[in-house]
Amino acid sequence: MSTRIPKIQHLLASVLQSKMRAVHANIGAIMLRYEQRKTLRIATSRGLPSEVHDQAEVRLGEGVAGKVAELGDAVIVDDIEKDARFAKTNDPKYGTGSFICMPVRVGDRIIGVINLAKKEDASTTPPTPRPFSPTDLQFLSALLTYIGYAVDNARLLQEAQESAAKVQVVVDDLRATQAQLVRGETLSAIGKLASGMAHHLNNLFAVILGRIETLRTKVAEPEAQRYLEIVQRAALDGAEVVRRVQRFSRVQPVSRTMPVDLNQLAQEVLELTRPRWHNEALLRQIRIDTALDLGNIRRVAGEYAPLREVLLNLVLNAIDAMPDGGQLGVRTWADSEGVHCDVSDAGTGMSDEVRQRALDPFFTTKGPKSTGLGLSVTYGIIQRHNGKLEIDSAPGRGTTVRITLPAVEVAVPAPNRPVTMPLLPSDLRVLLVDDEPEVRGALADMIGISGHTAFQAAGGKEALAWLDAGQPVDLVLTDLGMPGMTGADVARAVRARWPQVRLGLMTGWDETEGLVNDTSAIVDFVIVKPFNLQALLSAYAAGPKAA
Ligand SMILES: Nc1ncnc2c1ncn2[C@@H]1O[C@H](COP(=O)(O)OP(=O)(O)OP(=O)(O)O)[C@@H](O)[C@H]1O
Ligand SMILES: [Mg+2]
């Protein structure tokens, strides 16, 4: 109680003290009514043993104080010991001597009582009672009116403060919800933008990369090679940006989950980033220590690659935040809520403003070399996994980003897939089906280098006609979104009539996931544009999909 109503407590304590002094009482207590429980409880006391203070709770209408609080008539007793009313009551024990219990009123409401007692004078034999005098009574009743209002005001004030605090909580909640809504809106707006844009950009990058790859085999001059390499890298970076936007703006929940071990993931990510936190740090003559604290956790239900990207983004941010070195910590543990993973750094930390905007797409404080997509991608991935992401950060104190993911129901051992490097094919005959001549041409030329052959078809009909004519083809590589026959139609037709021909599906990203999933069931592999020759050959070499 005392922590909840400090103000009333102080007020009452000083009121009690002054009243006691005025009437020479040695024991005193102010009791307040608790309407819900229909009781009186001591709000402040002096001279009472603390156990009496803490326990005393009197039902309204019972005992001396309970009756006074209910009926409003003061009770004055010359000697408690001799008064029948104190014989069997719950009233706090005020020892021997004279006693007074008066109601404390606010208008016609009784809000509590004040109890005062005077000990007998022990110096005489027998000890003489020291009753309250008539002036004591007058004095007290005059003051009690004032106490009532003071107490009531304090109570009102406190209630007002409590409601203000409650309002603040509601406002904070609203603000957080609003921020989340805005973020959701931003994400879905960017999602729409991304799907429209990605198709075009990916096709453009496919043209650029295809052409560069071809050119690089034709140009001998070292300087030209170097320029081509720069352009190629820029185009690859551009394609990566598009992919990142696509990834975070994809709002569907993860479809095919598998049990993912966050502990394994954390170790893998620290290994992957070792060049950044170890080698590079050494070069810059700083030291970044890693502290891995892996708990006993269940696997989470998720997709491996996106979750690895989550940890990768968080670890890279942590490293970026420690330009002078420091400790990078990754901790995992589990509780009833799920599996948690903290990535923490002892770095610069974030100001309130940065923390609030950190999840916004393209928000970065790191200048043009950064896209500002790391955390928004991360946030999107965690959302799709039905997880939670929290940022705890303050300038100078460092940052901890915590992700929480639902654990899988039963522990399932992760499949132990052997990693084999398939032999890349040579002399591949590829039938390229794409309605966009620029893209088709660039891809055909890219395939045409290093001994492979590409035939081009502008659509499904043309492709089937080519196969009908008995032209030898190892692989039909078809675009998905085409007017007339779609890639899915092409795939079905080829599967039905030329089962020995391998099928690959190229997709931009704007295709609906369902369509890609349906078609991917028919084809041997799906490859996302833009891609390079190496990626295509590897996908082909992975072999036909088992039916
Ligand atoms: N661990 C951290 N410590 C301090 N600031 C951080 C931390 N993580 C993120 N931030 C702040 O949030 C901003 C956004 O982070 P985010 O990962 O989205 O983008 P980025 O790191 O700037 O760029 P990108 O990840 O695309 O390379 C950062 O620029 C930085 O200001
Ligand atoms: Mg980042």
Side-chain angles (χ1 to χ4, degrees), residues 204-229:
L204 294 176
F205 284 126
V207 173
I208 297 172
L209 287 168
R211 289 292 172 211
I212 292 173
E213 202 152 335
T214 317
L215 261 182
R216 288 193 65 187
T217 62
K218 299 199 164 145
V219 173
E221 201 187 328
E223 198 174 32
Q225 274 289 348
R226 204 164 55 79
Y227 291 158
L228 282 176
E229 204 184 315

Short mmCIF file of all heavy atoms in Angstrom, two decimals, residues 204-229:
data_model
loop_
_atom_site.label_atom_id
_atom_site.label_comp_id
_atom_site.label_asym_id
_atom_site.label_seq_id
_atom_site.Cartn_x
_atom_site.Cartn_y
_atom_site.Cartn_z
N LEU A 204 16.28 -6.50 -67.14
CA LEU A 204 17.36 -5.60 -67.57
C LEU A 204 18.71 -6.13 -67.09
O LEU A 204 19.68 -6.16 -67.86
CB LEU A 204 17.13 -4.19 -67.03
CG LEU A 204 15.90 -3.48 -67.62
CD1 LEU A 204 15.69 -2.13 -66.95
CD2 LEU A 204 16.07 -3.30 -69.12
N PHE A 205 18.74 -6.55 -65.84
CA PHE A 205 20.00 -7.08 -65.33
C PHE A 205 20.41 -8.35 -66.07
O PHE A 205 21.59 -8.61 -66.28
CB PHE A 205 19.91 -7.34 -63.82
CG PHE A 205 19.97 -6.08 -63.02
CD1 PHE A 205 18.98 -5.78 -62.10
CD2 PHE A 205 21.02 -5.19 -63.17
CE1 PHE A 205 19.04 -4.62 -61.35
CE2 PHE A 205 21.08 -4.02 -62.42
CZ PHE A 205 20.08 -3.74 -61.51
N ALA A 206 19.40 -9.14 -66.45
CA ALA A 206 19.71 -10.36 -67.20
C ALA A 206 20.39 -9.99 -68.52
O ALA A 206 21.35 -10.64 -68.94
CB ALA A 206 18.43 -11.16 -67.44
N VAL A 207 19.87 -8.94 -69.15
CA VAL A 207 20.48 -8.50 -70.42
C VAL A 207 21.90 -8.01 -70.16
O VAL A 207 22.86 -8.45 -70.82
CB VAL A 207 19.64 -7.36 -71.05
CG1 VAL A 207 20.37 -6.79 -72.26
CG2 VAL A 207 18.26 -7.87 -71.42
N ILE A 208 22.05 -7.14 -69.19
CA ILE A 208 23.37 -6.57 -68.92
C ILE A 208 24.38 -7.68 -68.58
O ILE A 208 25.47 -7.76 -69.16
CB ILE A 208 23.31 -5.57 -67.74
CG1 ILE A 208 22.40 -4.39 -68.10
CG2 ILE A 208 24.71 -5.08 -67.36
CD1 ILE A 208 22.12 -3.47 -66.94
N LEU A 209 23.98 -8.54 -67.66
CA LEU A 209 24.93 -9.56 -67.21
C LEU A 209 25.24 -10.57 -68.31
O LEU A 209 26.39 -11.01 -68.46
CB LEU A 209 24.38 -10.26 -65.96
CG LEU A 209 24.46 -9.38 -64.71
CD1 LEU A 209 23.65 -9.97 -63.57
CD2 LEU A 209 25.92 -9.20 -64.28
N GLY A 210 24.20 -10.91 -69.06
CA GLY A 210 24.43 -11.85 -70.17
C GLY A 210 25.40 -11.27 -71.17
O GLY A 210 26.37 -11.93 -71.59
N ARG A 211 25.16 -10.00 -71.52
CA ARG A 211 26.04 -9.34 -72.50
C ARG A 211 27.47 -9.22 -71.98
O ARG A 211 28.44 -9.42 -72.70
CB ARG A 211 25.51 -7.96 -72.85
CG ARG A 211 24.25 -7.97 -73.69
CD ARG A 211 24.54 -8.51 -75.07
NE ARG A 211 23.31 -8.70 -75.84
CZ ARG A 211 23.16 -9.62 -76.77
NH1 ARG A 211 24.14 -10.46 -77.04
NH2 ARG A 211 22.02 -9.74 -77.42
N ILE A 212 27.58 -8.87 -70.72
CA ILE A 212 28.94 -8.70 -70.17
C ILE A 212 29.67 -10.03 -70.18
O ILE A 212 30.85 -10.11 -70.55
CB ILE A 212 28.88 -8.13 -68.74
CG1 ILE A 212 28.38 -6.70 -68.79
CG2 ILE A 212 30.26 -8.18 -68.09
CD1 ILE A 212 28.13 -6.10 -67.44
N GLU A 213 28.96 -11.06 -69.77
CA GLU A 213 29.63 -12.36 -69.72
C GLU A 213 30.14 -12.74 -71.11
O GLU A 213 31.24 -13.28 -71.26
CB GLU A 213 28.68 -13.42 -69.16
CG GLU A 213 29.46 -14.59 -68.60
CD GLU A 213 28.70 -15.31 -67.48
OE1 GLU A 213 27.84 -14.71 -66.82
OE2 GLU A 213 28.99 -16.49 -67.29
N THR A 214 29.31 -12.46 -72.12
CA THR A 214 29.75 -12.76 -73.49
C THR A 214 30.95 -11.90 -73.87
O THR A 214 31.96 -12.39 -74.39
CB THR A 214 28.60 -12.47 -74.47
OG1 THR A 214 27.40 -12.99 -73.91
CG2 THR A 214 28.85 -13.11 -75.81
N LEU A 215 30.81 -10.59 -73.59
CA LEU A 215 31.88 -9.66 -73.96
C LEU A 215 33.22 -10.04 -73.34
O LEU A 215 34.27 -9.94 -73.98
CB LEU A 215 31.52 -8.26 -73.49
CG LEU A 215 30.93 -7.30 -74.52
CD1 LEU A 215 30.69 -5.94 -73.87
CD2 LEU A 215 31.91 -7.15 -75.69
N ARG A 216 33.15 -10.49 -72.09
CA ARG A 216 34.40 -10.77 -71.39
C ARG A 216 35.18 -11.89 -72.05
O ARG A 216 36.39 -11.98 -71.88
CB ARG A 216 34.13 -11.08 -69.91
CG ARG A 216 33.72 -9.84 -69.14
CD ARG A 216 33.76 -10.07 -67.65
NE ARG A 216 35.11 -10.34 -67.17
CZ ARG A 216 35.38 -10.70 -65.93
NH1 ARG A 216 34.40 -10.86 -65.07
NH2 ARG A 216 36.62 -10.91 -65.56
N THR A 217 34.48 -12.76 -72.79
CA THR A 217 35.22 -13.81 -73.49
C THR A 217 35.80 -13.29 -74.79
O THR A 217 36.64 -13.93 -75.40
CB THR A 217 34.31 -15.01 -73.82
OG1 THR A 217 33.28 -14.55 -74.71
CG2 THR A 217 33.68 -15.60 -72.58
N LYS A 218 35.30 -12.12 -75.22
CA LYS A 218 35.73 -11.64 -76.54
C LYS A 218 36.77 -10.54 -76.46
O LYS A 218 37.43 -10.25 -77.45
CB LYS A 218 34.52 -11.10 -77.30
CG LYS A 218 33.48 -12.19 -77.53
CD LYS A 218 32.53 -11.86 -78.62
CE LYS A 218 31.80 -13.12 -79.04
NZ LYS A 218 30.44 -12.90 -79.42
N VAL A 219 36.86 -9.88 -75.32
CA VAL A 219 37.75 -8.74 -75.21
C VAL A 219 39.04 -9.18 -74.55
O VAL A 219 39.02 -9.81 -73.49
CB VAL A 219 37.08 -7.62 -74.38
CG1 VAL A 219 38.05 -6.50 -74.12
CG2 VAL A 219 35.85 -7.12 -75.10
N ALA A 220 40.14 -8.85 -75.16
CA ALA A 220 41.42 -9.28 -74.62
C ALA A 220 42.08 -8.18 -73.80
O ALA A 220 42.79 -8.45 -72.83
CB ALA A 220 42.34 -9.71 -75.75
N GLU A 221 41.84 -6.95 -74.19
CA GLU A 221 42.54 -5.82 -73.58
C GLU A 221 42.28 -5.75 -72.06
O GLU A 221 41.13 -5.72 -71.63
CB GLU A 221 42.02 -4.54 -74.23
CG GLU A 221 42.97 -3.37 -74.10
CD GLU A 221 42.28 -2.12 -74.62
OE1 GLU A 221 41.46 -2.26 -75.55
OE2 GLU A 221 42.55 -1.06 -74.06
N PRO A 222 43.35 -5.74 -71.26
CA PRO A 222 43.18 -5.81 -69.80
C PRO A 222 42.32 -4.67 -69.24
O PRO A 222 41.52 -4.90 -68.34
CB PRO A 222 44.61 -5.71 -69.27
CG PRO A 222 45.48 -6.04 -70.41
CD PRO A 222 44.75 -5.72 -71.67
N GLU A 223 42.53 -3.47 -69.78
CA GLU A 223 41.78 -2.35 -69.22
C GLU A 223 40.29 -2.52 -69.47
O GLU A 223 39.46 -2.30 -68.58
CB GLU A 223 42.27 -1.03 -69.82
CG GLU A 223 41.83 0.13 -68.95
CD GLU A 223 42.42 1.45 -69.43
OE1 GLU A 223 42.62 1.60 -70.65
OE2 GLU A 223 42.65 2.31 -68.58
N ALA A 224 39.94 -2.96 -70.68
CA ALA A 224 38.54 -3.19 -71.01
C ALA A 224 37.97 -4.28 -70.13
O ALA A 224 36.84 -4.20 -69.63
CB ALA A 224 38.40 -3.57 -72.48
N GLN A 225 38.78 -5.32 -69.89
CA GLN A 225 38.36 -6.40 -69.00
C GLN A 225 38.00 -5.85 -67.61
O GLN A 225 37.02 -6.23 -67.00
CB GLN A 225 39.49 -7.43 -68.84
CG GLN A 225 39.52 -8.50 -69.91
CD GLN A 225 38.33 -9.48 -69.77
OE1 GLN A 225 37.64 -9.48 -68.75
NE2 GLN A 225 38.10 -10.27 -70.80
N ARG A 226 38.87 -4.94 -67.16
CA ARG A 226 38.68 -4.40 -65.82
C ARG A 226 37.36 -3.60 -65.76
O ARG A 226 36.58 -3.73 -64.82
CB ARG A 226 39.87 -3.50 -65.45
CG ARG A 226 40.07 -3.36 -63.95
CD ARG A 226 41.45 -2.81 -63.65
NE ARG A 226 41.70 -1.55 -64.35
CZ ARG A 226 41.21 -0.38 -63.93
NH1 ARG A 226 40.49 -0.32 -62.84
NH2 ARG A 226 41.45 0.73 -64.61
N TYR A 227 37.13 -2.79 -66.82
CA TYR A 227 35.88 -2.02 -66.84
C TYR A 227 34.67 -2.95 -66.84
O TYR A 227 33.70 -2.74 -66.14
CB TYR A 227 35.82 -1.11 -68.06
CG TYR A 227 36.82 0.03 -68.01
CD1 TYR A 227 37.24 0.68 -69.18
CD2 TYR A 227 37.33 0.47 -66.79
CE1 TYR A 227 38.15 1.72 -69.13
CE2 TYR A 227 38.24 1.51 -66.74
CZ TYR A 227 38.66 2.13 -67.90
OH TYR A 227 39.56 3.14 -67.86
N LEU A 228 34.80 -4.00 -67.67
CA LEU A 228 33.67 -4.94 -67.76
C LEU A 228 33.39 -5.58 -66.40
O LEU A 228 32.26 -5.78 -66.02
CB LEU A 228 33.99 -6.03 -68.79
CG LEU A 228 33.82 -5.60 -70.24
CD1 LEU A 228 34.25 -6.73 -71.17
CD2 LEU A 228 32.37 -5.22 -70.52
N GLU A 229 34.49 -5.88 -65.72
CA GLU A 229 34.33 -6.51 -64.43
C GLU A 229 33.60 -5.57 -63.47
O GLU A 229 32.74 -6.00 -62.69
CB GLU A 229 35.71 -6.86 -63.89
CG GLU A 229 35.69 -7.98 -62.89
CD GLU A 229 37.07 -8.22 -62.32
OE1 GLU A 229 38.03 -8.24 -63.13
OE2 GLU A 229 37.19 -8.34 -61.10
#
